[in-house]
Amino acid sequence: LHQTEESIHESALRRQEYLEKIMYAWNNSIAENGLRKALPLQREFYREKVGKTKNKVAVIISDAFRYEAAMDLVDRMNKNQNLTVTVDSMMATLPSFTPVGMASLLPHEEMTMKDDFTVLLDGNACGSTVQRDKILKAANPNSLAVSYSDDLRGHMGSNELKSLTSGAEVIYIYHNSVDITGEGGPTEDKVFEGVETAVNEVYDIIDKFSKRGKAYNFIVT
């Protein structure tokens, strides 16, 4: 489309006016810590979302499960009259990459990073499912951390789930279908199929855990 110099100048002025206002508001919010009032911090996930829940809760952490995939899951869940779904957001911890994000979701007071980018929570390693299980149990002895691919896939019958979830109040389920597909050389072009697989698997976890594991509160992130 043809634009005159005058219209281009007017558009630039409008953009500048908009940016000046929004940058001013953003900087003031940072200075006053106002953003925290609008968006809870990811590092407080366990305290705010898990620790305050009195009933059994299952936290499904699906790597690279982006907003659009989450909304596909929401659409599917909304078709089930037995499910009530809400969508929330939290402000990510910086730097925003997987080891920090995964660690932020666990109970902790202090997070540190070593020179090799290993993340520690209160001085404890948290990179493996076994290490995460230990951290969860320190906060609540009736906790459990499991890997979907190692512990659940193919082992989600009634007896297995009853045994697995018996006495558990907090269950962290680590799931990875999108990231492992997109990062693999031979499979990176099948990432959209990986997203569809992830939606189906997460829905299946919720369905089976609610029917067989006596878990009725789920958080997917």
Side-chain angles (χ1 to χ4, degrees):
L1 295 177
H2 176 70
Q3 282 187 297
T4 64
E5 287 187 13
E6 183 178 353
S7 65
I8 293 174
H9 181 66
E10 289 178 356
S11 296
L13 287 177
R14 286 196 295 270
R15 287 196 300 271
Q16 182 177 347
E17 182 182 8
Y18 169 78
L19 289 174
E20 285 179 352
K21 289 180 179 179
I22 198 169
M23 286 299 296
Y24 180 77
W26 175 270
N27 289 336
N28 282 343
S29 294
I30 291 289
E32 299 170 4
N33 205 20
L35 289 176
R36 185 170 181 174
K37 299 175 184 177
L39 280 178
L41 302 179
Q42 185 187 48
R43 67 170 180 259
E44 295 177 353
F45 172 84
Y46 184 90
R47 183 183 298 109
E48 296 296 324
K49 300 291 186 180
V50 181
K52 292 182 178 180
T53 302
K54 296 181 180 180
N55 300 316
K56 177 185 292 188
V57 58
V59 180
I60 304 169
I61 301 169
S62 187
D63 201 0
F65 199 70
R66 306 303 188 210
Y67 176 81
E68 292 80 7
M71 295 312 297
D72 283 348
L73 177 64
V74 168
D75 289 341
R76 182 169 177 183
M77 293 175 71
N78 278 330
K79 295 176 183 177
N80 187 331
Q81 295 181 348
N82 295 320
L83 300 176
T84 301
V85 188
T86 60
V87 180
D88 273 325
S89 58
M90 303 191 85
M91 186 178 296
T93 303
L94 297 177
S96 180
F97 74 121
T98 299
V100 172
M102 290 288 188
S104 295
L105 302 176
L106 291 165
H108 66 281
E109 295 296 329
E110 182 183 53
M111 179 188 298
T112 55
M113 183 183 292
K114 298 169 65 176
D115 292 340
D116 62 356
F117 301 108
T118 298
V119 178
L120 303 177
L121 296 180
D122 301 323
N124 300 307
C126 57
S128 70
T129 305
V130 172
Q131 292 167 343
R132 294 163 183 166
D133 183 78
K134 184 177 179 180
I135 290 172
L136 286 169
K137 282 182 168 60
N140 181 344
N142 298 319
S143 298
L144 180 69
V146 294
S147 163
Y148 175 79
S149 58
D150 295 336
D151 303 313
L152 296 182
R153 194 195 304 267
H155 301 282
M156 293 183 66
S158 298
N159 292 334
E160 291 93 335
L161 280 184
K162 286 180 181 178
S163 176
L164 179 70
T165 61
S166 178
E169 297 174 357
V170 175
I171 306 168
Y172 269 49
I173 303 164
Y174 289 90
H175 174 265
N176 186 2
S177 287
V178 181
D179 208 37
I180 199 170
T181 302
E183 287 191 346
T187 61
E188 61 183 5
D189 60 336
K190 298 181 179 179
V191 67
F192 292 106
E193 295 175 26
V195 172
E196 186 175 354
T197 297
V199 171
N200 291 334
E201 288 176 345
V202 171
Y203 185 89
D204 192 46
I205 293 171
I206 295 171
D207 182 58
K208 290 184 177 178
F209 265 71
S210 61
K211 291 178 179 176
R212 304 169 183 172
K214 295 183 179 180
Y216 308 109
N217 298 291
F218 297 88
I219 302 173
V220 182
T221 184

